[in-house]
Amino acid sequence: MSFPHSASRTSRKLALGLTVAALALAATACNSDADSGPAEDGTTTIRLGISPFQDTMIPIIAEEKGWFKAAGLNVELKSLAWDAIMPAVASDGVDAAINNTTGVVSVANKATNVVYWYAWNPFTEGSALMGKKGSGLKSLDEYVAGGLSEADARAETFKQLKGRTIVTTMSTDMGKQVVAALESVGLSQKDVKIVDLDPDQGLAAFLSGTGDAYLGGIPQRVRATAEGMPVLASGPDLAPPPINGLVTTTDFATANEEALLKLVNTFHRIVRYCDANTAECGKIITDRLNKDTGANLTVQGFQDFWQKFELYAPNAKATKELILDPGGVSYWKKTWDGDNSYLTSNGSIPSAADAGKHFLVEQTWNKYVEKFGADETGF
């Protein structure tokens, strides 16, 4: 789930980002000399969009290990800001990308060819609403320690935001988390001031004095925590968890289904490898991440977060248990319906995105299991 905007911007509607100019810009930024799809030697080229977050950067492990090549894939990793990913997919700037359901729902009305193809990474505890040190805002844990029940503590945590300024990235899963938290206690965006910025720019603004609260990604959370900013609430206390996975277009998926299944197989392989070699994976990813951002994420921090703040499915069985089963910790339909509710209510999209047309994970899952099985082990 990375990710230049003025601090005075109001809520940015990603649907408006799908203008001809924006799409052309995304396509230009991602142009590759190599054609996508199968080559004469049987190798398939996939231009894959990733963002500078520790979870969406995991493909660099396979790049480092040569696993894409071994699978007959030429994967060209294209680093894009989080809110530039879906315009790039929709405009053919990349062939596929790592993003989440919110991204697909955001563009589905205009980019009717975009689909959420597979899922493996529920962001269960990754989202965190950070408070400004000295702002007087109390955390959920502080309310509980003061004798309130979990439910009452949660309500008081979000009610205290009335009249406050919150920095986040609207029309993404981050903004959705903030709005869902407010609405759960009878508040709306009109009750707060939203400063809408890219995650890294938002963090810089927050740390320099803008806003009373901030919500971004894990690297931003790490930096804010290191600067002494408290976590007010996190994870499901905010909203149904975002779910990271593979997004693409029906055209590319139809023409390159076999290659995309191999790509997913490699993603699961990365997870199993990182489960067994977390420090090594952490070193590879944090070196790249810290070079690209000001996150200052340490290897120890990566280890502390791995399979805790967010979950990664090591095989198809885990994807089913976590995401496809109605009792799963991140059942996809709750998140999908939450995305539709959020984006239609704030006018970002004119109508709800049809899961039957744009959420293909269940169909893909069956094809994947037929080819690779459900309970793979080893790497």
Side-chain angles (χ1 to χ4, degrees):
M1 272 154 258
S2 303
F3 304 85
H5 309 296
S6 143
S8 63
R9 282 185 77 148
T10 55
S11 177
R12 183 171 63 252
K13 292 180 174 59
L14 191 138
L16 297 179
L18 289 178
T19 61
V20 173
L23 295 180
L25 178 62
T28 300
C30 297
N31 275 341
S32 167
D33 293 334
D35 293 329
S36 300
E40 292 183 2
D41 63 357
T43 299
T44 301
T45 294
I46 301 175
R47 299 167 300 159
L48 182 68
I50 61 173
S51 297
F53 289 118
Q54 79 297 329
D55 45 17
T56 59
M57 291 183 75
I58 67 170
I60 68 174
I61 301 297
E63 182 182 57
E64 181 102 351
K65 300 293 182 182
W67 293 341
F68 290 135
K69 183 177 180 180
L73 303 175
N74 174 32
V75 177
E76 300 178 352
L77 299 179
K78 305 293 183 181
S79 184
L80 295 166
W82 182 249
D83 49 3
I85 286 286
M86 294 314 304
V89 174
S91 66
D92 195 34
V94 293
D95 303 310
I98 298 177
N99 208 262
N100 57 31
T101 56
T102 317
V104 173
V105 172
S106 294
V107 303
N109 281 276
K110 289 191 175 183
T112 58
N113 202 29
V114 168
V115 292
Y116 191 98
W117 205 72
Y118 193 79
W120 65 83
N121 174 209
F123 205 61
T124 46
E125 292 288 341
S127 296
L129 183 67
M130 310 298 296
K132 176 66 62 64
K133 180 172 55 177
S135 66
L137 293 173
K138 296 174 64 175
S139 70
L140 188 153
D141 288 344
E142 286 179 292
Y143 280 116
V144 170
L148 293 185
S149 67
E150 288 280 346
D152 288 343
R154 181 184 180 279
E156 291 302 317
T157 300
F158 300 135
K159 285 179 180 179
Q160 69 180 330
L161 296 173
K162 186 174 182 178
R164 300 282 193 156
T165 298
I166 304 171
V167 183
T168 191
T169 309
M170 296 300 288
S171 292
T172 70
D173 57 291
M174 300 171 197
K176 185 190 79 171
Q177 302 280 295
V178 170
V179 173
L182 293 172
E183 291 180 344
S184 70
V185 295
L187 299 179
S188 73
Q189 293 182 58
K190 294 180 180 180
D191 293 307
V192 300
K193 179 182 178 182
I194 300 287
V195 177
D196 183 13
L197 294 169
D198 167 272
D200 286 329
Q201 291 189 329
L203 176 65
F206 180 62
L207 294 180
S208 66
T210 299
D212 303 296
Y214 168 80
L215 193 147
I218 285 182
Q220 292 79 24
R221 172 182 179 165
V222 171
R223 177 68 181 275
T225 301
E227 297 290 334
M229 308 299 177
V231 174
L232 301 181
S234 65
D237 284 322
L238 293 165
I243 306 169
N244 290 332
L246 187 68
V247 301
T248 186
T249 62
T250 52
D251 291 342
F252 189 82
T254 299
N256 300 278
E257 181 178 284
E258 182 84 3
L260 289 178
L261 289 173
K262 291 178 180 179
L263 181 64
V264 168
N265 180 250
T266 306
F267 289 154
H268 281 314
R269 182 181 184 182
I270 293 168
V271 173
R272 295 194 299 273
Y273 186 83
C274 290
D275 282 344
N277 303 275
T278 312
E280 180 189 346
C281 287
K283 179 67 165 58
I284 294 170
I285 291 173
T286 57
D287 280 354
R288 183 81 65 90
L289 177 65
N290 293 336
K291 179 182 178 182
D292 293 347
T293 73
N296 295 326
L297 182 62
T298 65
V299 174
Q300 185 60 54
F302 182 92
Q303 291 178 277
D304 291 343
F305 301 149
W306 183 258
Q307 298 290 27
K308 298 181 181 72
F309 278 14
E310 54 187 317
L311 304 177
Y312 303 82
N315 51 37
K317 179 182 178 182
T319 285
K320 187 175 190 303
E321 292 173 347
L322 292 169
I323 300 163
L324 296 180
D325 286 347
V329 66
S330 293
Y331 179 46
W332 73 269
K333 196 171 188 307
K334 290 182 180 179
T335 298
W336 187 272
D337 289 347
D339 292 337
N340 272 317
S341 176
Y342 165 59
L343 293 169
T344 53
S345 67
N346 70 13
S348 290
I349 60 175
S351 60
D354 184 349
K357 295 179 180 179
H358 298 282
F359 186 87
L360 306 186
V361 180
E362 292 172 314
Q363 299 96 307
T364 300
W365 188 89
N366 288 324
K367 293 174 182 178
Y368 180 91
V369 171
E370 183 178 348
K371 183 173 180 62
F372 295 106
D375 52 0
E376 296 170 283
T377 60
F379 41 80

